[in-house]
């Protein structure tokens, strides 16, 4: 897990060498980069958008931009992983604005508290309830939580990526978790805990 | 580490110390050890939500998506084998040199002898009735 201290620019970017090879259009490097980054990009886009197909479109668009930038990438200006997250999030926000979802910090909607129909589907149902609760969060709270919890970014990397201070990031995280807890409590957070 | 700061950390990052800010992690864990009951109350609430968050899994990308993305990458044009290019260049250069050497040899031969070597008369210049065209020129 890379939670803190792995975002220092003084360290060698772990993707730099691979990116140089991609810039030389090395087919093996292209495959390696896709295998390394596609799951992360797909995860962040899926959680931000709540829609798998849209998330796949976003991931593909990010890679189109990677191919364009690979030959011009200069190590030290930004970590490559941070940059691709910024590109992915910008594309996600474009789509959220297209849906007229306010990327601000408003209050979330209620999550459907209906219990799962079948015990065998419990794990899937729990995941779906979390996804619904995440989708109902204000976009900035969702972004903060997705970057730090699911993408396992350090607080300094996530704050820099979002263009906020670490204090502001922590405030977004605390509000995100409170909102999620309130929504999931309605759908049985305590009693469904396994 | 104050109780307020410990609470802030747990509220923001959850109950797992691995997710806490690195520079505050040791102090926060020390505070929790020294104030077990109070810490556990904060941690229990956060751990419950952590369990929920961990239930959300995003399916891995399928092979078709991976292939589409790999196919969108610019491809390096296959380079002509370097040795073949080298050999063809060397062959052209060699033929040129040989031609030049042959020409120089012929010129130097004429200059030194100052005589035109007798040429074999082509058959189309002669007939069965007479000698060569060179004989008629003297008449």
């Amino acid at each position: 897990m890379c939670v803190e201290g792995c975002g220092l620019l003084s360290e060698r970017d772990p993707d730099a060498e691979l990116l140089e090879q991609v810039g030389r259009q090395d087919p093996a490097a292209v495959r390696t980069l896709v295998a390394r980054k596609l799951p992360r990009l797909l995860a962040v886009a899926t959680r931000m958008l709540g829609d798998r197909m849209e998330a796949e479109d976003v991931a593909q668009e990010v890679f189109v931009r990677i191919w364009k930038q690979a030959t011009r990438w200069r190590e030290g200006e930004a970590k490559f992983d941070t940059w691709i997250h910024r590109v992915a999030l910008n594309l996600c926000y474009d789509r959220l604005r297209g849906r007229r979802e306010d990327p601000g910090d408003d209050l979330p909607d209620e999550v459907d508290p209906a219990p799962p129909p079948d015990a065998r589907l419990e794990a899937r149902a729990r995941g779906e309830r979390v996804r619904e609760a995440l989708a109902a969060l204000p976009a900035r709270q969702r972004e903060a939580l997705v970057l730090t919890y699911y993408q396992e970014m350090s607080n300094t990397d996530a704050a820099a990526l979002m263009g906020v201070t670490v204090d502001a990031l922590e405030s977004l995280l605390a509000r995100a978790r409170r909102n999620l807890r309130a929504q999931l409590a309605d759908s049985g957070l305590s009693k469904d805990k396994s | 580490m104050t109780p307020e700061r410990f609470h802030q950390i747990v509220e923001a990052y959850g109950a797992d110390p691995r997710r806490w800010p690195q520079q505050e992690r040791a102090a926060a864990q020390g505070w929790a050890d020294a104030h077990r009951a109070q810490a556990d109350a904060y941690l229990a609430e956060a751990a419950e939500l952590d369990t929920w968050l961990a239930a959300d899994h995003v399916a891995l990308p399928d092979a078709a998506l991976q292939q589409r993305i790999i196919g969108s990458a610019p491809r390096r044009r296959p380079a002509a084998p370097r040795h073949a290019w080298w050999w063809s260049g060397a062959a052209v250069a060699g033929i040129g040199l040989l031609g030049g050497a042959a020409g120089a040899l012929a010129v130097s031969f004429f200059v030194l002898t100052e005589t035109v070597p007798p040429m074999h008369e082509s058959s189309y210049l002669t007939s069965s009735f007479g000698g060569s065209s060179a004989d008629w020129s003297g008449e």
Side-chain angles (χ1 to χ4, degrees):
Chain A
M1 187 188 310
C2 178
V3 172
E4 183 72 22
C6 57
L8 300 175
L9 291 178
S10 57
E11 296 174 7
R12 172 105 170 133
D13 188 333
D15 298 314
E17 190 176 341
L18 181 60
L19 204 58
E20 287 171 10
Q21 293 168 345
V22 170
R24 293 195 295 268
Q25 301 180 1
D26 178 348
V30 166
R31 285 193 297 273
T32 303
L33 189 73
V34 171
R36 186 184 293 181
K37 297 300 179 186
L38 178 57
R40 279 175 70 68
L41 289 169
L42 199 56
V44 71
T46 301
R47 290 190 170 106
M48 285 303 294
L49 295 169
D51 184 295
R52 176 73 175 202
M53 294 305 291
E54 279 197 279
E56 291 190 0
D57 289 345
V58 164
Q60 287 189 80
E61 179 61 30
V62 174
F63 274 98
V64 168
R65 298 188 188 196
I66 291 173
W67 306 145
K68 288 179 183 170
Q69 287 292 328
T71 53
R72 286 177 281 173
W73 183 261
R74 286 202 298 274
E75 192 180 356
E77 293 185 358
K79 277 173 66 181
F80 177 68
D81 193 65
T82 305
W83 178 75
I84 61 173
H85 274 82
R86 184 69 268 159
V87 173
L89 288 167
N90 285 343
L91 292 168
C92 288
Y93 276 113
D94 287 346
R95 287 169 183 263
L96 292 174
R97 275 190 286 272
R99 294 181 197 166
R100 298 180 183 279
E101 179 175 338
D102 181 6
D105 197 14
D106 50 359
L107 291 173
D109 299 330
E110 292 293 317
V111 173
D112 181 5
D118 191 325
R120 290 176 299 173
L121 301 176
E122 177 63 17
R124 183 182 298 178
R126 285 174 66 86
E128 285 174 1
R129 270 183 281 173
V130 175
R131 190 70 61 84
E132 288 170 4
L134 278 172
L137 284 179
R140 291 289 278 177
Q141 291 181 22
R142 181 163 69 241
E143 182 181 352
L145 192 74
V146 167
L147 291 178
T148 56
Y149 186 88
Y150 290 110
Q151 302 299 106
E152 298 184 344
M153 280 192 174
S154 71
N155 57 354
T156 50
D157 278 356
L161 180 52
M162 294 182 70
V164 298
T165 63
V166 171
D167 285 349
L169 174 78
E170 291 185 353
S171 175
L172 285 168
L173 286 170
R175 279 181 284 160
R177 292 177 68 95
R178 275 200 295 273
N179 283 331
L180 282 176
R181 197 177 297 117
Q183 292 177 76
L184 294 168
D186 290 338
S187 56
L189 181 147
S190 296
K191 65 183 176 228
D192 283 352
K193 184 186 167 193
S194 55
Chain B
M1 180 61 54
T2 63
E4 292 76 21
R5 180 57 189 154
F6 180 81
H7 195 197
Q8 283 175 349
I9 289 171
V10 174
E11 273 197 316
Y13 301 102
D16 187 346
R18 290 175 300 173
R19 296 181 180 277
W20 297 350
Q22 188 184 40
Q23 65 270 34
E24 295 181 285
R25 191 177 302 150
Q29 286 182 297
W31 187 89
D33 291 340
H35 306 82
R36 201 67 266 168
Q38 198 176 350
D40 284 348
Y42 294 145
L43 293 171
E45 191 179 50
E48 207 165 27
L49 183 61
D50 287 344
T51 303
W52 271 94
L53 291 173
D56 179 34
H57 299 285
V58 174
L60 291 172
D62 59 30
L65 176 63
Q66 291 184 56
Q67 287 308 313
R68 280 201 302 277
I69 291 173
I70 289 169
S72 72
R75 292 180 187 176
R76 186 168 49 197
R77 277 178 291 180
R82 292 176 64 87
H83 67 279
W85 181 89
W86 185 88
W87 276 111
S88 63
V92 169
I95 290 168
L97 285 172
L98 281 173
L105 185 66
V107 168
S108 62
F109 178 80
F110 294 142
V111 168
L112 288 172
T113 60
E114 292 185 351
T115 57
V116 177
M119 292 178 60
H120 181 265
E121 207 162 344
S122 300
S123 61
Y124 73 89
L125 293 177
T126 61
S127 71
S128 58
F129 300 108
S132 69
S133 58
D135 294 335
W136 298 355
S137 63
E139 289 180 357

